[in-house]
Amino acid sequence: MVAQGQFRVLKVPLGFIKALEWFFAIFAFSTCGSYSGMLRMAVECKNRTESDLSIKVEFEYPFRLHQVYFDAPTCKGENKERFFLVGDYSSSAEFFVTIGVFAFLYSTAALSIYVFFFEKYKENNKGPLIDLGVTGVFAFMWLVSSAAWAKGLSDVKTATDPDKVITLISACDEEGNRCREVHDPVMSGLNTSVAFGFINLILWVGNLWFVFKETGIIAPFMRAPPPQEKPAAPDAYSQQGAYEQDPYASNQGGYQPDYNQQGYNQV
């Protein structure tokens, strides 16, 4: 019974949404932080013996692409030339992952407090007020980091497009040589990370209302109006006396005998 009482908070919106935040934060930072991709190109030289039909370029989080290099044939003998990709998108990627990790840690701590120390959490409204402030900060951070990473991902896709990378190879500009892409990098995992980022934004913004309700700030404005007193029922006897008057009372007031008439004056 005690265990059921402790975990009952997970069935109300305050605890349930916090559990969803914990869950989606894991997916957000893991799908981005664990990514590694690869693209493949082919350079066919005029002299086929100098060709390389499988040039592999591998890259991964945190996407410091300017440090990623590959070797391609010069089509001038057996010599090869080294080329580097363009761009450094580590700032937006690392910022996104950092927010995800801290959101996961805070959600873990908040769930532990909800389950084991919920009465202490509501004491003097200090817990809900702190929770409200931190939840607001994370909602804003999810907005900024998700938008920044969405832009960064767009730049990563452009920088790792095989058609664009081929333009870096000098041998591809010479007549008689042919360069083509063999394999595009798979970006579905990174697309999912951006989606999880905006899902976290929705969850944290939505949870602001339920945390705000726990602060009790809105309680005075939600009190029901006091019940109005009903007028007392009229007394049955008083009504009967008011509406059923003696019919002879009015007649007595209208007729008074005249004792000074002539018949009465005689002795």
Side-chain angles (χ1 to χ4, degrees):
M1 296 297 293
V2 176
Q4 291 180 357
Q6 290 174 339
F7 287 92
R8 192 175 303 168
V9 68
L10 299 179
K11 297 181 180 180
V12 299
L14 178 68
F16 180 71
I17 296 180
K18 188 64 69 178
L20 290 179
E21 292 172 353
W22 177 86
F23 181 77
F24 281 100
I26 295 176
F27 278 93
F29 72 76
S30 62
T31 51
C32 180
S34 62
Y35 178 83
S36 61
M38 181 266 297
L39 63 97
R40 188 176 296 166
M41 303 168 296
V43 177
E44 298 179 2
C45 300
K46 188 174 183 180
N47 184 359
R48 296 296 185 242
T49 60
E50 300 173 353
S51 301
D52 189 346
L53 303 181
S54 182
I55 302 175
K56 185 184 297 185
V57 183
E58 296 179 342
F59 60 97
E60 60 185 6
Y61 172 85
F63 309 104
R64 294 187 176 94
L65 300 182
H66 66 288
Q67 299 178 357
V68 178
Y69 62 87
F70 62 95
D71 296 326
T74 60
C75 295
K76 297 177 181 178
E78 299 295 331
N79 297 329
K80 289 193 174 184
E81 188 176 1
R82 177 161 291 181
F83 300 94
F84 288 83
L85 298 182
V86 179
D88 181 5
Y89 309 102
S90 59
S91 58
S92 59
E94 290 177 337
F95 180 48
F96 180 80
V97 171
T98 300
I99 295 301
V101 171
F102 278 103
F104 162 75
L105 294 176
Y106 178 74
S107 298
T108 303
L111 284 173
S112 300
I113 294 174
Y114 290 170
V115 172
F116 300 107
F117 307 102
F118 194 64
E119 295 301 325
K120 290 288 185 181
Y121 167 82
K122 296 193 299 182
E123 186 176 347
N124 297 327
N125 285 337
K126 291 182 179 180
L129 288 173
I130 296 174
D131 195 10
L132 179 64
V134 176
T135 301
V137 171
F138 270 108
F140 177 74
M141 289 294 103
W142 275 118
L143 172 63
V144 176
S145 62
S146 298
W149 173 228
K151 176 60 169 63
L153 176 57
S154 177
D155 295 337
V156 169
K157 290 179 179 180
T158 302
T160 57
D161 184 3
D163 291 333
K164 184 176 180 61
V165 177
I166 286 174
T167 61
L168 301 175
I169 304 175
S170 57
C172 298
D173 298 330
E174 298 180 6
E175 186 178 357
N177 300 329
R178 180 171 176 266
C179 301
R180 58 184 174 84
E181 66 175 77
V182 178
H183 188 293
D184 285 324
V186 179
M187 296 291 188
S188 57
L190 295 181
N191 293 333
T192 304
S193 69
V194 173
F196 281 130
F198 284 105
I199 290 174
N200 275 284
L201 169 63
I202 295 172
L203 289 174
W204 286 83
V205 170
N207 200 30
L208 281 172
W209 167 248
F210 298 103
V211 178
F212 177 71
K213 287 174 63 177
E214 293 295 326
T215 62
I217 298 176
I218 200 174
F221 303 98
M222 298 183 66
R223 291 178 179 175
Q228 297 181 355
E229 295 182 358
K230 296 182 179 180
D235 190 359
Y237 294 101
S238 61
Q239 287 185 351
Q240 184 176 5
Y243 295 101
E244 298 182 2
Q245 297 180 355
D246 186 2
Y248 298 101
S250 59
N251 294 333
Q252 291 178 357
Y255 172 74
Q256 296 292 337
D258 186 5
Y259 295 103
N260 295 322
Q261 292 180 2
Q262 182 177 2
Y264 292 97
N265 293 329
Q266 295 177 359
V267 179

